[in-house]
Amino acid sequence: MWFEILPSFGIIVVALAVPHASAYVINKLVVGNMYRRGMYKYQDRLQYLRDRRLTGNPYKVQGLEAIPDK
């Protein structure tokens, strides 16, 4: 019958979802937060480095108030 495919379907869905869900846990253990920043483009990498230089934390995005006055 049609319901005989449900266990196989469930195994495949879980096997495909485990790497995606474990990425958050691994990032929490390694980086300290549960999200990532995509750095596929050069501009994104520059913004990552700018935020890390200004605030010390690349995941804490701030505006012009983070730039010190000279």
Side-chain angles (χ1 to χ4, degrees):
M1 298 300 280
W2 65 270
F3 53 84
E4 293 175 352
I5 198 170
L6 292 178
S8 300
F9 179 73
I11 291 171
I12 291 173
V13 167
V14 169
L16 291 175
V18 165
H20 180 69
S22 66
Y24 292 107
V25 175
I26 292 170
N27 280 330
K28 181 68 174 174
L29 294 174
V30 174
V31 180
N33 55 14
M34 295 185 78
Y35 47 89
R36 299 174 283 180
R37 275 182 89 164
M39 290 186 274
Y40 302 115
K41 294 186 269 184
Y42 180 70
Q43 185 67 27
D44 294 337
R45 289 191 295 272
L46 288 179
Q47 290 177 356
Y48 176 86
L49 293 173
R50 175 188 61 98
D51 292 336
R52 191 172 74 183
R53 178 177 49 86
L54 290 176
T55 63
N57 183 2
Y59 297 97
K60 183 179 178 185
V61 180
Q62 292 191 358
L64 293 174
E65 68 272 4
I67 300 173
D69 295 330
K70 291 186 179 183

Short mmCIF file of all heavy atoms in Angstrom, two decimals:
data_model
loop_
_atom_site.label_atom_id
_atom_site.label_comp_id
_atom_site.label_asym_id
_atom_site.label_seq_id
_atom_site.Cartn_x
_atom_site.Cartn_y
_atom_site.Cartn_z
N MET A 1 0.83 -1.18 0.00
CA MET A 1 0.00 0.00 0.00
C MET A 1 0.88 1.26 0.00
O MET A 1 2.09 1.18 0.13
CB MET A 1 -0.89 0.01 1.24
CG MET A 1 -1.87 -1.17 1.32
SD MET A 1 -3.01 -1.27 -0.04
CE MET A 1 -4.21 -0.08 0.40
N TRP A 2 0.22 2.39 -0.09
CA TRP A 2 0.95 3.64 -0.21
C TRP A 2 1.68 4.00 1.08
O TRP A 2 2.69 4.69 1.07
CB TRP A 2 0.02 4.77 -0.62
CG TRP A 2 -1.02 5.08 0.43
CD1 TRP A 2 -2.25 4.52 0.54
CD2 TRP A 2 -0.88 5.99 1.51
NE1 TRP A 2 -2.91 5.03 1.63
CE2 TRP A 2 -2.09 5.94 2.25
CE3 TRP A 2 0.12 6.84 1.94
CZ2 TRP A 2 -2.30 6.70 3.38
CZ3 TRP A 2 -0.10 7.60 3.07
CH2 TRP A 2 -1.30 7.54 3.78
N PHE A 3 1.18 3.57 2.23
CA PHE A 3 1.77 3.96 3.51
C PHE A 3 3.06 3.21 3.81
O PHE A 3 3.74 3.54 4.77
CB PHE A 3 0.76 3.77 4.65
CG PHE A 3 0.18 2.39 4.72
CD1 PHE A 3 0.84 1.37 5.35
CD2 PHE A 3 -1.06 2.13 4.14
CE1 PHE A 3 0.31 0.11 5.41
CE2 PHE A 3 -1.61 0.87 4.20
CZ PHE A 3 -0.93 -0.15 4.83
N GLU A 4 3.42 2.22 3.00
CA GLU A 4 4.67 1.50 3.21
C GLU A 4 5.89 2.35 2.91
O GLU A 4 7.00 2.03 3.32
CB GLU A 4 4.68 0.24 2.36
CG GLU A 4 3.66 -0.78 2.80
CD GLU A 4 3.60 -1.97 1.87
OE1 GLU A 4 4.25 -1.92 0.80
OE2 GLU A 4 2.92 -2.95 2.20
N ILE A 5 5.69 3.44 2.20
CA ILE A 5 6.81 4.33 1.87
C ILE A 5 7.11 5.31 3.00
O ILE A 5 8.18 5.93 3.02
CB ILE A 5 6.51 5.08 0.55
CG1 ILE A 5 7.78 5.64 -0.03
CG2 ILE A 5 5.51 6.19 0.78
CD1 ILE A 5 7.64 6.17 -1.42
N LEU A 6 6.21 5.47 3.97
CA LEU A 6 6.39 6.46 5.03
C LEU A 6 7.64 6.25 5.88
O LEU A 6 8.34 7.23 6.17
CB LEU A 6 5.14 6.52 5.90
CG LEU A 6 3.89 7.09 5.20
CD1 LEU A 6 2.71 7.05 6.14
CD2 LEU A 6 4.14 8.47 4.67
N PRO A 7 8.00 5.04 6.31
CA PRO A 7 9.25 4.90 7.08
C PRO A 7 10.49 5.29 6.28
O PRO A 7 11.38 5.98 6.79
CB PRO A 7 9.28 3.42 7.46
CG PRO A 7 7.88 2.97 7.40
CD PRO A 7 7.24 3.78 6.32
N SER A 8 10.54 4.90 5.02
CA SER A 8 11.69 5.28 4.19
C SER A 8 11.73 6.78 3.97
O SER A 8 12.80 7.41 4.02
CB SER A 8 11.61 4.57 2.84
OG SER A 8 11.60 3.19 3.01
N PHE A 9 10.58 7.38 3.75
CA PHE A 9 10.51 8.82 3.56
C PHE A 9 10.97 9.54 4.82
O PHE A 9 11.70 10.53 4.76
CB PHE A 9 9.08 9.23 3.19
CG PHE A 9 8.91 10.70 3.01
CD1 PHE A 9 9.41 11.34 1.90
CD2 PHE A 9 8.24 11.46 3.96
CE1 PHE A 9 9.26 12.70 1.73
CE2 PHE A 9 8.08 12.81 3.80
CZ PHE A 9 8.59 13.44 2.68
N GLY A 10 10.56 9.06 5.99
CA GLY A 10 10.97 9.67 7.24
C GLY A 10 12.47 9.59 7.46
O GLY A 10 13.09 10.54 7.93
N ILE A 11 13.06 8.47 7.14
CA ILE A 11 14.51 8.31 7.29
C ILE A 11 15.26 9.28 6.38
O ILE A 11 16.24 9.91 6.79
CB ILE A 11 14.92 6.85 7.00
CG1 ILE A 11 14.40 5.94 8.11
CG2 ILE A 11 16.43 6.72 6.87
CD1 ILE A 11 14.55 4.47 7.83
N ILE A 12 14.80 9.43 5.17
CA ILE A 12 15.46 10.34 4.22
C ILE A 12 15.32 11.79 4.68
O ILE A 12 16.28 12.57 4.63
CB ILE A 12 14.90 10.14 2.81
CG1 ILE A 12 15.35 8.78 2.28
CG2 ILE A 12 15.34 11.25 1.88
CD1 ILE A 12 14.73 8.39 0.97
N VAL A 13 14.14 12.17 5.15
CA VAL A 13 13.93 13.54 5.61
C VAL A 13 14.82 13.85 6.81
O VAL A 13 15.45 14.91 6.88
CB VAL A 13 12.44 13.77 5.94
CG1 VAL A 13 12.24 15.06 6.70
CG2 VAL A 13 11.62 13.77 4.66
N VAL A 14 14.91 12.94 7.75
CA VAL A 14 15.75 13.15 8.93
C VAL A 14 17.23 13.20 8.53
O VAL A 14 17.98 14.05 9.03
CB VAL A 14 15.50 12.05 9.98
CG1 VAL A 14 16.54 12.08 11.08
CG2 VAL A 14 14.11 12.20 10.56
N ALA A 15 17.64 12.33 7.61
CA ALA A 15 19.04 12.32 7.18
C ALA A 15 19.41 13.62 6.48
O ALA A 15 20.55 14.08 6.59
CB ALA A 15 19.30 11.13 6.26
N LEU A 16 18.48 14.22 5.77
CA LEU A 16 18.77 15.49 5.11
C LEU A 16 18.69 16.68 6.06
O LEU A 16 19.32 17.71 5.82
CB LEU A 16 17.81 15.70 3.93
CG LEU A 16 18.01 14.75 2.75
CD1 LEU A 16 16.93 14.97 1.70
CD2 LEU A 16 19.38 14.95 2.12
N ALA A 17 17.93 16.57 7.13
CA ALA A 17 17.76 17.68 8.06
C ALA A 17 18.86 17.74 9.12
O ALA A 17 19.12 18.80 9.67
CB ALA A 17 16.40 17.58 8.74
N VAL A 18 19.50 16.64 9.41
CA VAL A 18 20.50 16.59 10.47
C VAL A 18 21.69 17.53 10.20
O VAL A 18 22.08 18.30 11.09
CB VAL A 18 20.96 15.14 10.73
CG1 VAL A 18 22.22 15.09 11.56
CG2 VAL A 18 19.85 14.37 11.40
N PRO A 19 22.29 17.55 9.02
CA PRO A 19 23.42 18.48 8.82
C PRO A 19 23.02 19.95 8.95
O PRO A 19 23.76 20.75 9.50
CB PRO A 19 23.89 18.19 7.39
CG PRO A 19 23.41 16.82 7.11
CD PRO A 19 22.14 16.66 7.87
N HIS A 20 21.83 20.28 8.48
CA HIS A 20 21.38 21.66 8.56
C HIS A 20 21.15 22.07 10.01
O HIS A 20 21.54 23.17 10.43
CB HIS A 20 20.09 21.83 7.75
CG HIS A 20 19.56 23.21 7.78
ND1 HIS A 20 20.18 24.26 7.16
CD2 HIS A 20 18.46 23.73 8.38
CE1 HIS A 20 19.48 25.36 7.37
NE2 HIS A 20 18.43 25.06 8.11
N ALA A 21 20.53 21.23 10.78
CA ALA A 21 20.26 21.54 12.18
C ALA A 21 21.53 21.51 13.03
O ALA A 21 21.68 22.29 13.97
CB ALA A 21 19.23 20.57 12.73
N SER A 22 22.45 20.61 12.72
CA SER A 22 23.67 20.52 13.52
C SER A 22 24.62 21.69 13.25
O SER A 22 25.49 21.97 14.08
CB SER A 22 24.38 19.20 13.25
OG SER A 22 24.85 19.16 11.91
N ALA A 23 24.46 22.39 12.15
CA ALA A 23 25.31 23.55 11.87
C ALA A 23 25.12 24.62 12.93
O ALA A 23 26.08 25.29 13.33
CB ALA A 23 25.00 24.11 10.49
N TYR A 24 23.90 24.81 13.42
CA TYR A 24 23.66 25.80 14.47
C TYR A 24 24.35 25.40 15.77
O TYR A 24 24.93 26.23 16.45
CB TYR A 24 22.16 25.97 14.69
CG TYR A 24 21.47 26.61 13.52
CD1 TYR A 24 20.66 25.88 12.67
CD2 TYR A 24 21.65 27.97 13.25
CE1 TYR A 24 20.04 26.46 11.59
CE2 TYR A 24 21.03 28.56 12.17
CZ TYR A 24 20.23 27.81 11.35
OH TYR A 24 19.62 28.39 10.28
N VAL A 25 24.29 24.12 16.11
CA VAL A 25 24.92 23.66 17.34
C VAL A 25 26.44 23.76 17.24
O VAL A 25 27.11 24.21 18.19
CB VAL A 25 24.49 22.20 17.64
CG1 VAL A 25 25.22 21.67 18.85
CG2 VAL A 25 22.99 22.13 17.82
N ILE A 26 27.00 23.40 16.11
CA ILE A 26 28.45 23.48 15.92
C ILE A 26 28.91 24.92 15.96
O ILE A 26 29.94 25.24 16.57
CB ILE A 26 28.85 22.78 14.61
CG1 ILE A 26 28.62 21.27 14.72
CG2 ILE A 26 30.30 23.08 14.26
CD1 ILE A 26 28.76 20.53 13.43
N ASN A 27 28.16 25.85 15.35
CA ASN A 27 28.52 27.26 15.41
C ASN A 27 28.45 27.79 16.83
O ASN A 27 29.27 28.61 17.23
CB ASN A 27 27.61 28.09 14.51
CG ASN A 27 28.03 28.02 13.08
OD1 ASN A 27 29.19 27.85 12.78
ND2 ASN A 27 27.08 28.13 12.18
N LYS A 28 27.48 27.33 17.60
CA LYS A 28 27.38 27.76 18.99
C LYS A 28 28.59 27.30 19.79
O LYS A 28 29.13 28.05 20.62
CB LYS A 28 26.08 27.22 19.61
CG LYS A 28 25.86 27.61 21.03
CD LYS A 28 25.59 29.09 21.17
CE LYS A 28 25.23 29.44 22.59
NZ LYS A 28 25.10 30.86 22.78
N LEU A 29 29.06 26.10 19.54
CA LEU A 29 30.21 25.57 20.27
C LEU A 29 31.52 26.22 19.82
O LEU A 29 32.39 26.52 20.64
CB LEU A 29 30.30 24.06 20.09
CG LEU A 29 29.17 23.25 20.71
CD1 LEU A 29 29.31 21.79 20.32
CD2 LEU A 29 29.16 23.41 22.20
N VAL A 30 31.69 26.44 18.52
CA VAL A 30 32.96 26.93 17.98
C VAL A 30 33.04 28.45 18.00
O VAL A 30 34.02 29.03 18.48
CB VAL A 30 33.17 26.39 16.55
CG1 VAL A 30 34.40 26.98 15.91
CG2 VAL A 30 33.26 24.88 16.57
N VAL A 31 32.03 29.11 17.47
CA VAL A 31 32.07 30.56 17.29
C VAL A 31 31.48 31.30 18.49
O VAL A 31 31.90 32.39 18.82
CB VAL A 31 31.33 30.95 15.99
CG1 VAL A 31 31.36 32.44 15.75
CG2 VAL A 31 31.93 30.24 14.81
N GLY A 32 30.48 30.71 19.13
CA GLY A 32 29.86 31.37 20.27
C GLY A 32 28.48 31.91 19.97
O GLY A 32 27.83 32.46 20.85
N ASN A 33 28.01 31.80 18.76
CA ASN A 33 26.65 32.18 18.44
C ASN A 33 26.07 31.17 17.45
O ASN A 33 26.79 30.35 16.91
CB ASN A 33 26.57 33.60 17.88
CG ASN A 33 27.45 33.79 16.69
OD1 ASN A 33 27.93 32.83 16.11
ND2 ASN A 33 27.69 35.02 16.31
N MET A 34 24.77 31.25 17.23
CA MET A 34 24.12 30.20 16.45
C MET A 34 23.90 30.57 14.98
O MET A 34 23.25 29.84 14.27
CB MET A 34 22.77 29.85 17.09
CG MET A 34 22.94 29.23 18.46
SD MET A 34 21.42 28.69 19.17
CE MET A 34 21.17 27.17 18.30
N TYR A 35 24.43 31.68 14.55
CA TYR A 35 24.22 32.05 13.16
C TYR A 35 25.55 32.35 12.49
O TYR A 35 26.56 32.59 13.14
CB TYR A 35 23.29 33.25 13.04
CG TYR A 35 23.61 34.39 13.97
CD1 TYR A 35 24.49 35.39 13.60
CD2 TYR A 35 23.02 34.46 15.22
CE1 TYR A 35 24.79 36.42 14.45
CE2 TYR A 35 23.31 35.49 16.07
CZ TYR A 35 24.18 36.47 15.68
OH TYR A 35 24.46 37.49 16.53
N ARG A 36 25.52 32.35 11.18
CA ARG A 36 26.73 32.58 10.40
C ARG A 36 26.56 33.82 9.55
O ARG A 36 25.46 34.25 9.28
CB ARG A 36 27.00 31.39 9.49
CG ARG A 36 27.20 30.11 10.23
CD ARG A 36 27.32 28.98 9.28
NE ARG A 36 25.97 28.66 8.81
CZ ARG A 36 25.69 27.71 7.96
NH1 ARG A 36 26.62 26.98 7.46
NH2 ARG A 36 24.45 27.47 7.60
N ARG A 37 27.64 34.37 9.11
CA ARG A 37 27.59 35.46 8.14
C ARG A 37 28.14 34.92 6.83
O ARG A 37 29.21 34.34 6.78
CB ARG A 37 28.47 36.63 8.58
CG ARG A 37 27.76 37.58 9.51
CD ARG A 37 28.62 38.72 9.88
NE ARG A 37 28.49 39.81 8.93
CZ ARG A 37 28.90 41.04 9.19
NH1 ARG A 37 29.47 41.31 10.33
NH2 ARG A 37 28.76 41.98 8.31
N GLY A 38 27.38 35.14 5.77
CA GLY A 38 27.85 34.72 4.46
C GLY A 38 28.91 35.67 3.94
O GLY A 38 28.73 36.88 3.95
N MET A 39 30.02 35.13 3.54
CA MET A 39 31.10 35.95 3.01
C MET A 39 31.45 35.50 1.60
O MET A 39 32.59 35.20 1.30
CB MET A 39 32.31 35.88 3.94
CG MET A 39 32.07 36.59 5.24
SD MET A 39 33.50 36.67 6.28
CE MET A 39 33.38 35.11 7.11
N TYR A 40 30.42 35.41 0.78
CA TYR A 40 30.62 34.94 -0.59
C TYR A 40 31.16 36.05 -1.49
O TYR A 40 31.91 35.80 -2.41
CB TYR A 40 29.31 34.41 -1.16
CG TYR A 40 28.74 33.29 -0.34
CD1 TYR A 40 27.55 33.43 0.34
CD2 TYR A 40 29.44 32.08 -0.20
CE1 TYR A 40 27.04 32.40 1.10
CE2 TYR A 40 28.94 31.06 0.56
CZ TYR A 40 27.74 31.22 1.21
OH TYR A 40 27.24 30.21 1.97
N LYS A 41 30.77 37.27 -1.20
CA LYS A 41 31.21 38.40 -2.02
C LYS A 41 32.28 39.19 -1.27
O LYS A 41 32.36 39.16 -0.04
CB LYS A 41 30.03 39.31 -2.34
CG LYS A 41 28.99 38.65 -3.22
CD LYS A 41 27.93 39.62 -3.62
CE LYS A 41 26.84 39.52 -2.58
NZ LYS A 41 25.68 40.32 -2.86
N TYR A 42 33.08 39.90 -2.02
CA TYR A 42 34.17 40.69 -1.45
C TYR A 42 33.63 41.76 -0.51
O TYR A 42 34.21 42.01 0.56
CB TYR A 42 34.98 41.31 -2.59
CG TYR A 42 36.15 42.14 -2.12
CD1 TYR A 42 37.26 41.54 -1.54
CD2 TYR A 42 36.14 43.52 -2.25
CE1 TYR A 42 38.32 42.28 -1.09
CE2 TYR A 42 37.20 44.27 -1.80
CZ TYR A 42 38.29 43.66 -1.23
OH TYR A 42 39.35 44.40 -0.80
N GLN A 43 32.53 42.40 -0.87
CA GLN A 43 31.94 43.44 -0.03
C GLN A 43 31.50 42.89 1.32
O GLN A 43 31.65 43.54 2.35
CB GLN A 43 30.75 44.09 -0.76
CG GLN A 43 30.14 45.26 -0.03
CD GLN A 43 31.07 46.44 0.05
OE1 GLN A 43 31.94 46.63 -0.80
NE2 GLN A 43 30.90 47.25 1.06
N ASP A 44 30.97 41.68 1.34
CA ASP A 44 30.55 41.06 2.60
C ASP A 44 31.75 40.78 3.49
O ASP A 44 31.67 40.93 4.71
CB ASP A 44 29.79 39.77 2.33
CG ASP A 44 28.48 40.00 1.63
OD1 ASP A 44 27.94 41.13 1.72
OD2 ASP A 44 27.99 39.07 0.97
N ARG A 45 32.86 40.37 2.89
CA ARG A 45 34.07 40.13 3.68
C ARG A 45 34.60 41.43 4.28
O ARG A 45 35.06 41.45 5.43
CB ARG A 45 35.14 39.45 2.83
CG ARG A 45 34.81 38.02 2.49
CD ARG A 45 35.97 37.30 1.87
NE ARG A 45 36.37 37.80 0.58
CZ ARG A 45 35.86 37.39 -0.58
NH1 ARG A 45 34.94 36.46 -0.59
NH2 ARG A 45 36.27 37.89 -1.71
N LEU A 46 34.53 42.51 3.52
CA LEU A 46 34.97 43.80 4.05
C LEU A 46 34.10 44.26 5.21
O LEU A 46 34.60 44.81 6.20
CB LEU A 46 34.97 44.85 2.93
CG LEU A 46 36.06 44.71 1.88
CD1 LEU A 46 35.92 45.80 0.83
CD2 LEU A 46 37.43 44.76 2.50
N GLN A 47 32.79 44.05 5.11
CA GLN A 47 31.90 44.44 6.20
C GLN A 47 32.16 43.59 7.45
O GLN A 47 32.07 44.09 8.57
CB GLN A 47 30.45 44.33 5.77
CG GLN A 47 30.07 45.38 4.77
CD GLN A 47 28.64 45.23 4.29
OE1 GLN A 47 27.95 44.29 4.65
NE2 GLN A 47 28.20 46.17 3.48
N TYR A 48 32.45 42.33 7.26
CA TYR A 48 32.80 41.46 8.39
C TYR A 48 34.04 41.98 9.10
O TYR A 48 34.07 42.09 10.33
CB TYR A 48 33.02 40.04 7.88
CG TYR A 48 33.48 39.06 8.92
CD1 TYR A 48 32.56 38.39 9.71
CD2 TYR A 48 34.83 38.79 9.13
CE1 TYR A 48 32.97 37.49 10.68
CE2 TYR A 48 35.25 37.91 10.09
CZ TYR A 48 34.32 37.26 10.85
OH TYR A 48 34.73 36.37 11.82
N LEU A 49 35.07 42.30 8.34
CA LEU A 49 36.31 42.81 8.93
C LEU A 49 36.09 44.17 9.59
O LEU A 49 36.66 44.45 10.65
CB LEU A 49 37.39 42.90 7.87
CG LEU A 49 37.89 41.56 7.31
CD1 LEU A 49 38.84 41.79 6.16
CD2 LEU A 49 38.53 40.74 8.40
N ARG A 50 35.24 45.02 9.00
CA ARG A 50 34.95 46.33 9.58
C ARG A 50 34.26 46.17 10.93
O ARG A 50 34.63 46.81 11.91
CB ARG A 50 34.07 47.14 8.64
CG ARG A 50 33.64 48.48 9.22
CD ARG A 50 32.61 49.15 8.35
NE ARG A 50 31.42 48.35 8.23
CZ ARG A 50 30.31 48.54 8.96
NH1 ARG A 50 30.27 49.49 9.84
NH2 ARG A 50 29.27 47.77 8.78
N ASP A 51 33.26 45.30 10.99
CA ASP A 51 32.54 45.10 12.24
C ASP A 51 33.44 44.49 13.31
O ASP A 51 33.34 44.84 14.48
CB ASP A 51 31.31 44.22 12.02
CG ASP A 51 30.26 44.91 11.19
OD1 ASP A 51 30.24 46.16 11.16
OD2 ASP A 51 29.45 44.20 10.55
N ARG A 52 34.33 43.60 12.91
CA ARG A 52 35.25 43.00 13.87
C ARG A 52 36.23 44.05 14.39
O ARG A 52 36.57 44.05 15.56
CB ARG A 52 35.99 41.84 13.22
CG ARG A 52 36.76 41.03 14.25
CD ARG A 52 37.34 39.80 13.66
NE ARG A 52 38.49 40.17 12.84
CZ ARG A 52 39.19 39.33 12.12
NH1 ARG A 52 38.85 38.06 12.09
NH2 ARG A 52 40.23 39.73 11.43
N ARG A 53 36.67 44.95 13.52
CA ARG A 53 37.61 45.98 13.94
C ARG A 53 36.95 47.01 14.84
O ARG A 53 37.53 47.43 15.85
CB ARG A 53 38.20 46.67 12.71
CG ARG A 53 39.17 47.79 13.02
CD ARG A 53 39.76 48.38 11.75
NE ARG A 53 38.77 48.71 10.75
CZ ARG A 53 38.11 49.87 10.70
NH1 ARG A 53 38.32 50.79 11.60
NH2 ARG A 53 37.24 50.09 9.73
N LEU A 54 35.72 47.42 14.53
CA LEU A 54 35.08 48.49 15.29
C LEU A 54 34.51 48.02 16.62
O LEU A 54 34.62 48.72 17.63
CB LEU A 54 33.95 49.12 14.46
CG LEU A 54 34.40 49.95 13.26
CD1 LEU A 54 33.21 50.43 12.48
CD2 LEU A 54 35.25 51.11 13.72
N THR A 55 33.86 46.88 16.64
CA THR A 55 33.17 46.45 17.85
C THR A 55 33.84 45.28 18.55
O THR A 55 33.47 44.95 19.67
CB THR A 55 31.72 46.06 17.53
OG1 THR A 55 31.72 44.96 16.63
CG2 THR A 55 30.97 47.22 16.92
N GLY A 56 34.77 44.61 17.89
CA GLY A 56 35.39 43.44 18.47
C GLY A 56 34.59 42.17 18.26
O GLY A 56 35.06 41.08 18.51
N ASN A 57 33.35 42.31 17.82
CA ASN A 57 32.48 41.17 17.56
C ASN A 57 31.89 41.35 16.17
O ASN A 57 31.11 42.27 15.94
CB ASN A 57 31.37 41.11 18.61
CG ASN A 57 30.48 39.91 18.44
OD1 ASN A 57 30.69 39.09 17.56
ND2 ASN A 57 29.48 39.81 19.29
N PRO A 58 32.23 40.50 15.22
CA PRO A 58 31.73 40.68 13.86
C PRO A 58 30.23 40.45 13.72
O PRO A 58 29.65 40.82 12.72
CB PRO A 58 32.51 39.66 13.04
CG PRO A 58 32.93 38.64 14.02
CD PRO A 58 33.12 39.35 15.31
N TYR A 59 29.59 39.88 14.74
CA TYR A 59 28.16 39.61 14.66
C TYR A 59 27.33 40.68 15.35
O TYR A 59 26.12 40.61 15.39
CB TYR A 59 27.86 38.24 15.26
CG TYR A 59 28.54 37.16 14.47
CD1 TYR A 59 29.75 36.63 14.87
CD2 TYR A 59 27.98 36.68 13.30
CE1 TYR A 59 30.37 35.66 14.13
CE2 TYR A 59 28.61 35.71 12.55
CZ TYR A 59 29.80 35.20 12.98
OH TYR A 59 30.43 34.25 12.24
N LYS A 60 27.99 41.69 15.92
CA LYS A 60 27.29 42.81 16.53
C LYS A 60 27.44 44.01 15.58
O LYS A 60 28.44 44.71 15.60
CB LYS A 60 27.91 43.13 17.89
CG LYS A 60 27.21 44.23 18.62
CD LYS A 60 27.86 44.47 19.96
CE LYS A 60 27.19 45.61 20.67
NZ LYS A 60 27.88 45.94 21.91
N VAL A 61 26.45 44.20 14.75
CA VAL A 61 26.51 45.24 13.72
C VAL A 61 26.06 46.56 14.33
O VAL A 61 25.02 46.64 14.97
CB VAL A 61 25.61 44.87 12.53
CG1 VAL A 61 25.66 45.94 11.46
CG2 VAL A 61 26.02 43.53 11.95
N GLN A 62 26.90 47.60 14.15
CA GLN A 62 26.57 48.93 14.63
C GLN A 62 26.78 49.92 13.51
O GLN A 62 27.46 49.65 12.54
CB GLN A 62 27.42 49.30 15.84
CG GLN A 62 27.09 48.48 17.05
CD GLN A 62 27.75 49.04 18.29
OE1 GLN A 62 28.48 50.01 18.24
NE2 GLN A 62 27.49 48.42 19.42
N GLY A 63 26.21 51.07 13.68
CA GLY A 63 26.30 52.11 12.67
C GLY A 63 27.44 53.06 12.91
O GLY A 63 28.50 52.71 13.42
N LEU A 64 27.21 54.33 12.59
CA LEU A 64 28.25 55.35 12.71
C LEU A 64 28.65 55.62 14.15
O LEU A 64 29.73 56.15 14.41
CB LEU A 64 27.79 56.64 12.04
CG LEU A 64 27.62 56.57 10.52
CD1 LEU A 64 27.02 57.86 10.01
CD2 LEU A 64 28.94 56.29 9.87
N GLU A 65 27.78 55.29 15.10
CA GLU A 65 28.12 55.55 16.51
C GLU A 65 29.28 54.70 16.98
O GLU A 65 29.90 55.00 18.00
CB GLU A 65 26.90 55.35 17.42
CG GLU A 65 26.44 53.93 17.52
CD GLU A 65 25.45 53.51 16.45
OE1 GLU A 65 25.15 54.29 15.54
OE2 GLU A 65 24.99 52.36 16.53
N ALA A 66 29.62 53.63 16.27
CA ALA A 66 30.72 52.77 16.68
C ALA A 66 32.07 53.32 16.25
O ALA A 66 33.10 52.92 16.77
CB ALA A 66 30.54 51.37 16.09
N ILE A 67 32.06 54.27 15.32
CA ILE A 67 33.32 54.85 14.83
C ILE A 67 33.75 55.94 15.81
O ILE A 67 33.01 56.90 16.06
CB ILE A 67 33.16 55.43 13.43
CG1 ILE A 67 32.75 54.31 12.47
CG2 ILE A 67 34.44 56.10 12.95
CD1 ILE A 67 32.41 54.79 11.07
N PRO A 68 34.93 55.82 16.39
CA PRO A 68 35.36 56.83 17.37
C PRO A 68 35.70 58.15 16.70
O PRO A 68 36.21 58.20 15.59
CB PRO A 68 36.60 56.20 18.01
CG PRO A 68 37.10 55.21 16.99
CD PRO A 68 35.91 54.76 16.22
N ASP A 69 35.39 59.25 17.41
CA ASP A 69 35.75 60.59 16.94
C ASP A 69 37.22 60.82 17.22
O ASP A 69 37.75 60.44 18.25
CB ASP A 69 34.91 61.65 17.62
CG ASP A 69 33.43 61.53 17.27
OD1 ASP A 69 33.15 61.06 16.15
OD2 ASP A 69 32.60 61.87 18.13
N LYS A 70 37.87 61.53 16.31
CA LYS A 70 39.30 61.80 16.49
C LYS A 70 39.53 63.16 17.06
O LYS A 70 38.85 64.06 16.98
CB LYS A 70 40.03 61.65 15.16
CG LYS A 70 40.05 60.22 14.72
CD LYS A 70 40.88 60.06 13.49
CE LYS A 70 40.87 58.57 13.10
NZ LYS A 70 41.69 58.28 11.98
#
